[in-house]
């Protein structure tokens, strides 16, 4: 490994772990803390399965929403950062191969697809549904994990009544820890998609040049 490769690897690790990992965890800590306060405020107590302040359902719902929303946001941010050369240089291409077993969900949304005017609304809807499908497939393992966590907590805290402060602290911490692992993975997949697109574009340019050279020769 050359010195340049070593620096690029360090830059990639810092980008994923600090910018997306720790940064995403802090953002989710604040968001989930606020949502817990808004949801549980005014409740005398919070129990695992007592409607409407049910912590068990909240655990599972958080396990779905964080990966799903992150699929769109973190993946798009990573693509933008890669194309603009921010945080890491383009020579990290060999370091971010897209995992072959995840090709069925290889649909990180391009940011420009959200803001570009689409004359055919049906085409945009189909594109969005495709991305949503990828996000839901990516979120599925985390939902299963959230269900397991909720089940374990139900067995331990079946009759426990949580105070408002304890409920807020738990939801904020749970969301932050979840995001700490979810967001870097999505960002990595976004980088891998951008890297493959960049490589495909570089390979297509010589083919276009050869086509024009052949046409000129004729």
């Amino acid at each position: 490994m050359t010195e340049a490769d070593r620096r690029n690897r360090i830059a990639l690790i810092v980008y994923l772990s600090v910018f997306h990992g720790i940064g995403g965890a802090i953002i989710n800590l604040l968001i989930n803390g606020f949502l817990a306060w808004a949801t549980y405020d005014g409740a005398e107590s919070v129990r695992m399965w007592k409607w409407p302040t049910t912590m068990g359902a909240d655990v599972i719902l958080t396990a779905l929403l964080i990966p799903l929303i992150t699929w769109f946001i973190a993946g798009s941010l990573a693509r933008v950062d890669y194309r603009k050369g921010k945080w890491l240089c383009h020579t990290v291409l060999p370091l971010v191969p897209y995992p072959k077993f995840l090709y069925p969900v290889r649909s990180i949304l391009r940011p420009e697809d959200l803001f570009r005017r689409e004359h055919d609304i049906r085409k945009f809807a189909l594109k969005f549904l495709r991305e949503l499908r990828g996000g839901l497939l990516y979120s599925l393992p985390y939902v299963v994990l959230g269900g397991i966590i909720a089940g374990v907590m139900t067995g331990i805290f079946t009759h426990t009544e949580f105070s408002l402060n304890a409920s807020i602290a738990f939801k904020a911490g749970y969301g932050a820890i979840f995001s700490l692992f979810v967001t870097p993975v999505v960002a990595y997949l976004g980088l891998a998609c951008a890297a493959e697109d960049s490589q495909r574009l570089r390979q297509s340019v010589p083919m276009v040049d050869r086509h024009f050279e052949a046409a000129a020769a004729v």
Side-chain angles (χ1 to χ4, degrees), residues 48-49 54-61 63 142-158 170 174 178:
M48 283 300 299
W49 299 103
T54 164
M55 186 174 291
D58 199 6
V59 167
I60 299 175
L61 186 62
Y142 297 103
V143 175
V144 174
L145 177 61
I148 294 173
I149 294 174
V152 172
M153 290 181 63
T154 300
I156 299 175
F157 304 111
T158 303
F170 170 78
Y174 175 71
F178 228 85

Side-chain angles (χ1 to χ4, degrees), residues 11-89:
L12 178 62
I13 293 173
V14 171
Y15 173 80
L16 294 176
S17 60
V18 176
F19 183 71
H20 285 281
I22 298 177
I26 293 174
I27 293 174
N28 274 279
L29 177 74
L30 298 175
I31 293 177
N32 280 277
F34 172 78
L35 291 176
W37 172 82
T39 303
Y40 301 140
D41 187 35
E44 297 180 359
S45 62
V46 179
R47 301 184 64 173
M48 283 300 299
W49 299 103
K50 179 182 178 182
W51 187 260
T53 56
T54 164
M55 186 174 291
D58 199 6
V59 167
I60 299 175
L61 186 62
T62 302
L64 168 65
L65 292 180
I66 288 182
L68 183 59
I69 296 174
T70 303
W71 177 262
F72 287 93
I73 297 177
S76 296
L77 287 176
R79 292 186 72 104
V80 171
D81 287 342
Y82 186 90
R83 286 200 296 267
K84 292 185 177 180
K86 293 181 177 180
W87 298 94
L88 70 166
C89 58

Side-chain angles (χ1 to χ4, degrees), residues 64-197:
L64 168 65
L65 292 180
I66 288 182
L68 183 59
I69 296 174
T70 303
W71 177 262
F72 287 93
I73 297 177
S76 296
L77 287 176
R79 292 186 72 104
V80 171
D81 287 342
Y82 186 90
R83 286 200 296 267
K84 292 185 177 180
K86 293 181 177 180
W87 298 94
L88 70 166
C89 58
H90 286 69
T91 52
V92 301
L93 175 63
L95 303 179
V96 285
Y98 196 93
K100 292 183 178 180
F101 71 94
L102 287 178
Y103 262 96
V105 295
R106 188 196 181 282
S107 56
I108 296 290
L109 189 68
R110 291 176 172 84
E112 58 269 22
D113 289 344
L114 286 177
F115 304 105
R116 183 171 53 196
R117 291 184 178 180
E118 188 67 70
H119 297 289
D120 189 349
I121 189 65
R122 184 178 300 178
K123 181 179 179 181
F124 177 81
L126 290 174
K127 188 185 304 181
F128 181 81
L129 289 175
R130 183 196 66 195
E131 307 303 334
L132 182 62
R133 178 197 62 184
L136 289 172
L137 288 174
Y138 173 73
S139 304
L140 184 60
Y142 297 103
V143 175
V144 174
L145 177 61
I148 294 173
I149 294 174
V152 172
M153 290 181 63
T154 300
I156 299 175
F157 304 111
T158 303
H159 304 292
T160 302
E161 294 186 355
F162 299 94
S163 65
L164 176 62
N165 291 335
S167 302
I168 293 175
F170 170 78
K171 181 172 174 58
Y174 175 71
I177 293 174
F178 228 85
S179 177
L180 187 64
F181 296 98
V182 171
T183 309
V185 174
V186 175
Y188 177 90
L189 297 179
L191 288 176
C193 285
E196 286 192 352
D197 290 346

